[in-house]
Amino acid sequence: MHTVAVLALDKVIPFDLSTPIEVFTRTRLPDGRPGYQVRVCAERPEIDAGAFALRAPWGLDGLTDADTVIVPGTADPAAPLPPAVHDALNAAAANGTRIASICTGTFSLAAAGLLDGLRATTHWIAAGMLAAAYPDIDVDPGVLYVDNGQILTSAGAAAGLDLCLHLIRRDYGSAVAADAARLSVMPLEREGGQAQFIVQHYPPTPRGSALEPLLAWLQDNLARDLTLADIAARAGMSTRTLIRRFREQTGTTPLQWLHCARVRQAQHLLETTPHSVERIGAQVGFGSPTAFRDRFKRTAGVSPQTYRRTFR
C-alpha cells in the first residue's frame, strides 16, 4: 500500500490539509482494497490551524518511510521554515520520496531548497512574492499544478484536488483516478489552468506621468481599431519614442497594454451581460471573433464561452 504523509505546519490552511486526507483515504482499487495509508505528521504534537488546534498522531519520523509527502499551505507563507522540518524534507528528498505542495506550501519546499532551478506554481495571488523571494525558481502562476517528477507543486484551494487526482493516476492509472474524481465530485481534467481565475486588472496608470492622459484616452477608446501609429499620433510622439516611454512608465508596450485592457473589459462583459461572444469581441476592439478568441485564450487560459460558464 502507498503511504502518504501529510505535513502540518503551524498556521496550516485547513482546506489544504483536508484535501489530501479526504482524497487519498477514500481511494479504492478495483478489488476494493484501499490504495493509500495516510499519516498526518507535524513537528510538535499540537499545531495551530487557525480556527482550531490540531493534534497530529505522527511526528516528523512519519516522513521517513513514506512514499509521498504532501505539504499543505500556511496562512503565513513567509514564516521561517523550522530547521527540523527543513532537514526532514531534505532527507525525504534524498531518499527519493515524492514530495508535493498545495497552495502556499510551495514556499516550504522553496525554503528547503527543493525547487531551485525547477518550474513551480502556487496560488496566483502569492506568485509574485514567491518569484521575488526565490529568483532561482521558474514561477508559473497560470497553471493548476506542475509535475517535475519527484517534486510537484499546485496552485491554491481546489487545485490541490487536481494535484491529488493526478498523483492517483500516476500511481494506479486513469480508472482508479476517475473513480476518485467521482467521489470528489470533480472532473479528472479541468479545462484551462489557473490563469482563468487571475483578476486581470487594468494595467496601472502612473499618476502624474506624461502618459496619464494617453492611457485614460485608450481606456475610453478600446472599441476603436487602433494602430501603434494612431496611438503615437494621439500622444504627439514618434512610434519609437512612444514605445520607449511606455516601457519606462508601464513596463510593457502600447499594444500589449491595449490588449490587456481589452481582455479585462471583455471579462467584465462576459460576467455581467448576455451579449454574444462575437458582439463582446467587437465591443472591446477586436477585428474578428477569431482574433478575440485567440487573444482571450492566451490571456485567460480558456475560451470566452468557458470563462462565461465559470464566472457568470
Side-chain angles (χ1 to χ4, degrees):
M1 187 187 299
H2 193 110
T3 300
V4 174
V6 182
L7 177 60
L9 301 175
D10 258 332
K11 305 293 184 183
V12 65
I13 298 172
F15 187 95
D16 295 353
L17 176 71
S18 63
T19 295
I21 295 172
E22 284 295 303
V23 174
F24 290 120
T25 56
R26 294 180 183 276
T27 299
R28 291 294 180 267
L29 304 184
D31 61 6
R33 290 181 298 117
Y36 297 91
Q37 177 189 55
V38 178
R39 304 169 177 170
V40 178
C41 307
E43 182 186 12
R44 301 188 313 277
E46 186 168 296
I47 292 295
D48 177 6
F52 57 88
L54 168 73
R55 288 197 170 274
W58 290 80
L60 295 179
D61 58 332
L63 278 59
T64 304
D65 61 344
D67 299 293
T68 297
V69 173
I70 306 285
V71 184
T74 63
D76 183 9
L81 190 68
V85 175
H86 176 284
D87 293 346
L89 288 173
N90 274 273
N95 287 337
T97 304
R98 185 173 63 187
I99 302 175
S101 65
I102 296 176
C103 194
T104 56
T106 304
F107 283 79
S108 298
L109 303 194
L114 300 181
L115 295 174
D116 291 349
L118 297 179
R119 179 168 163 257
T121 194
T122 187
H123 193 294
W124 62 266
I125 206 166
M129 187 195 318
L130 181 68
Y134 301 98
D136 290 336
I137 299 173
D138 178 12
V139 179
D140 186 345
V143 296
L144 295 173
Y145 58 83
V146 173
D147 183 347
N148 290 297
Q150 183 187 5
I151 309 295
L152 302 92
T153 54
S154 70
L161 275 169
D162 296 284
L163 174 67
C164 291
L165 293 172
H166 173 70
L167 292 175
I168 295 169
R169 183 167 49 191
R170 272 184 49 173
D171 295 337
Y172 294 114
S174 295
V176 174
D179 285 340
R182 292 186 190 98
L183 284 173
S184 300
V185 198
M186 274 281 292
L188 186 54
E189 286 282 355
R190 276 201 286 167
E191 183 177 353
Q194 191 180 191
Q196 62 190 296
F197 302 102
I198 299 174
V199 178
Q200 302 291 338
H201 292 294
Y202 280 117
T205 302
R207 295 300 175 190
S209 77
L211 288 182
E212 184 176 356
L214 177 64
L215 299 182
W217 178 81
L218 286 173
Q219 287 185 357
D220 290 339
N221 290 273
L222 296 179
R224 291 182 57 181
D225 182 16
L226 296 172
T227 66
L228 184 60
D230 294 331
I231 300 172
R234 175 72 187 189
M237 306 175 189
S238 68
T239 56
R240 186 187 297 270
T241 300
L242 176 69
I243 291 171
R244 186 179 71 251
R245 295 274 178 85
F246 243 85
R247 286 203 178 277
E248 290 172 352
Q249 298 185 33
T250 70
T252 188
T253 68
L255 292 181
Q256 287 171 336
W257 192 99
L258 185 61
H259 287 321
C260 183
R262 283 172 167 166
V263 169
R264 178 63 195 101
Q265 179 64 11
Q267 288 177 311
H268 173 71
L269 293 173
L270 288 166
E271 294 167 12
T272 60
T273 74
H275 299 167
S276 69
V277 168
E278 291 75 14
R279 177 177 173 182
I280 289 174
Q283 282 180 278
V284 298
F286 287 96
S288 72
T290 299
F292 171 50
R293 289 186 176 94
D294 288 347
R295 174 61 63 175
F296 192 95
K297 188 162 188 178
R298 269 187 280 168
T299 302
V302 293
S303 68
Q305 293 94 331
T306 299
Y307 185 89
R308 168 170 273 168
R309 288 197 302 268
T310 303
F311 294 100
R312 186 161 178 237

